[in-house]
Amino acid sequence: MKYGIVVDSGCDVTSLAPEVANKIDFSRAALKLDIGDKEFTDDFNLNIDEFMKEMYAYKGKTGSAAPSPQDWVNAYAKSDCVFAITITGTLSGSYSSAKTAVDLFKEQYPERRIHLIDSKSTGPEMTLIVRKLSEYMSQDLDFEEIVDRIEEYRKHTHLLFVLKSLDNLVKNGRLSKFQGSIAGILGIKLLGVATDEGELGLLHKCRGKMTAYDKAIEEMFLRQYKGGKMIISHCFAPDTAEYIASKVREQFPQCEIEIMPTSGLCSYYAEQGGILIGFEA
């Protein structure tokens, strides 16, 4: 029985760890990113640098669109036992589409197994779930045991983010204009959190070059981070990601930290300089 993990492009990771990559199918049901009349498919081949340049050069309407149910079914069909993970259903239609696809998949392949997860989050918290799933799958656990373990694991993961701009989040109805208007003014950065309901909650307005990132680390400790796995995704801000990692290692020298660039979708919403931090607690 071949296991598979399917994510949408709210997840930043593009591949599994080498030791499990040949044992587990890994697929992305890609969202579409629209800049005027031009459509970008946010798959593993998207040139995010070029996409962002076009996005900032264009002054008209931009947006994103969820994968179709058939996109999800096509990805599910690669494996016998499937775990699918979506960006939070409160901010995207991706979960609804993936759920419709589960019913279609079960009709077409009644002998196969599938479990759908609304991450209630995005980016690196989704990646933590992917990493843990691949770990469980490599242990030859049965399907239901993996379901039970991953649902328990999800209770102990969190997401914080630091953004310089909220323009695209506001334009696409993910945040109010009032919340968006305070970002980018006089160097203000916004520190936020993915809530238990899967919404974006704003915690602090921070001034100063590194204040928001130091505050993010404080918030991690308040949320009981004790040196577990941590993933930092950045939108063209590798130095900032390394700064956060180095500060955390001062407290937990042996902690496992992975740094990666944001996907096209997370780059679109986090914008240049955005940082997302997923961590275990």
Side-chain angles (χ1 to χ4, degrees), residues 34-128:
D34 298 320
I35 299 177
D37 295 329
K38 185 175 290 189
E39 182 180 80
F40 294 81
T41 300
D42 191 12
D43 58 19
F44 295 142
N45 299 311
L46 176 66
N47 185 322
I48 297 174
D49 187 21
E50 290 301 318
F51 164 73
M52 294 294 285
K53 287 178 181 176
E54 294 219 25
M55 184 188 79
Y56 282 121
Y58 184 72
K59 303 305 179 185
K61 184 179 179 181
T62 63
S64 61
S68 71
Q70 191 58 52
D71 290 336
W72 283 105
V73 171
N74 293 343
Y76 297 163
K78 298 176 183 179
S79 311
D80 301 307
C81 297
V82 185
F83 284 80
I85 313 164
T86 75
I87 187 174
T88 175
T90 64
L91 299 181
S92 170
S94 187
Y95 175 74
S96 178
S97 181
K99 189 174 181 180
T100 298
V102 168
D103 295 332
L104 297 173
F105 178 75
K106 288 179 176 178
E107 289 177 8
Q108 295 179 41
Y109 306 98
E111 75 285 359
R112 302 193 191 184
R113 313 289 296 280
I114 187 165
H115 182 66
L116 174 62
I117 298 170
D118 178 350
S119 72
K120 306 284 186 165
S121 189
T122 190
E125 189 170 3
M126 291 178 69
T127 300
L128 284 171

Side-chain angles (χ1 to χ4, degrees), residues 13 45 52 64 78 108 135 145 211 214 271 277:
V13 70
N45 299 311
M52 294 294 285
S64 61
K78 298 176 183 179
Q108 295 179 41
E135 179 184 316
E145 187 170 359
T211 304
D214 293 335
E271 300 194 53
I277 306 167

Side-chain angles (χ1 to χ4, degrees), residues 174-203:
R174 271 59 176 179
L175 286 175
S176 71
K177 289 184 178 179
F178 171 75
Q179 290 172 319
S181 68
I182 59 179
I185 299 174
L186 300 176
I188 289 177
K189 300 183 184 72
L190 298 181
L191 170 61
V193 64
T195 68
D196 291 341
E197 294 75 30
E199 298 177 341
L200 302 183
L202 300 183
L203 296 174

Side-chain angles (χ1 to χ4, degrees), residues 118-166:
D118 178 350
S119 72
K120 306 284 186 165
S121 189
T122 190
E125 189 170 3
M126 291 178 69
T127 300
L128 284 171
I129 297 170
V130 169
R131 296 294 192 224
K132 185 57 70 172
L133 271 174
S134 62
E135 179 184 316
Y136 290 152
M137 290 173 179
S138 67
Q139 295 172 5
D140 295 324
L141 303 173
D142 65 39
F143 185 84
E144 291 303 329
E145 187 170 359
I146 295 175
V147 170
D148 291 342
R149 290 194 182 196
I150 202 63
E151 290 299 336
E152 178 61 29
Y153 176 75
R154 291 175 57 208
K155 299 175 184 177
H156 306 283
T157 62
H158 304 275
L159 176 75
L160 295 170
F161 55 87
V162 179
L163 306 181
K164 296 181 179 179
S165 170
L166 300 179

